[in-house]
């Protein structure tokens, strides 16, 4: 379990997302962060992660330079997109 207390910051501060990636042993660009709150996607995107915004409430994401890579209606749609797509990071890039 990861906690923002260990990161020394609260979401959506970039430190919380970079801490999580470090603890998982991956680079931020190797992460697909999935959330249904815009502030989570914004923080993760600012940290260099890929993001998927689950728009359950059918609300606009808002104007920010940190737009999500995917905007989906629910987790089923996310699963469909992920099962039909190629990885966001190639094995070669992941090994670097």
């Amino acid at each position: 379990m990861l906690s923002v207390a260990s990161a020394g910051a609260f979401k959506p501060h970039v430190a919380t997302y970079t801490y999580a990636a470090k603890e998982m042993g991956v680079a931020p660009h190797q992460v697909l962060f999935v959330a249904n709150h815009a502030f989570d996607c914004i923080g993760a995107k600012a940290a260099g992660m890929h993001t998927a915004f689950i728009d359950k409430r059918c609300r606009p994401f808002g104007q920010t330079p940190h737009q999500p890579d995917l905007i989906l209606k629910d987790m089923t749609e996310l699963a469909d997109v992920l099962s039909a797509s190629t990885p966001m990071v190639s094995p070669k890039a992941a090994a670097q």
Side-chain angles (χ1 to χ4, degrees):
M1 178 187 297
L2 300 177
S3 168
V4 294
S6 299
F10 291 97
K11 297 188 303 181
H13 193 281
V14 169
T16 60
Y17 303 93
T18 55
Y19 167 77
K22 181 180 174 188
E23 287 297 303
M24 299 299 295
V26 298
H29 73 272
Q30 294 175 288
V31 174
L32 174 61
F33 187 90
V34 180
N36 69 341
H37 294 99
F39 76 88
D40 269 328
C41 286
I42 292 167
K45 193 73 174 176
M49 295 178 174
H50 299 278
T51 58
F53 177 58
I54 307 299
D55 187 15
K56 294 180 181 181
R57 297 177 185 99
C58 298
R59 296 180 182 167
F61 188 81
Q63 297 299 318
T64 173
H66 302 295
Q67 292 294 306
D69 297 291
L70 301 168
I71 298 177
L72 308 158
K73 65 182 178 180
D74 55 33
M75 296 297 280
T76 300
E77 188 176 12
L78 174 64
D80 291 344
V81 168
L82 293 178
S83 67
S85 69
T86 57
M88 290 186 168
V89 178
S90 70
K92 183 178 178 181
Q96 294 178 353

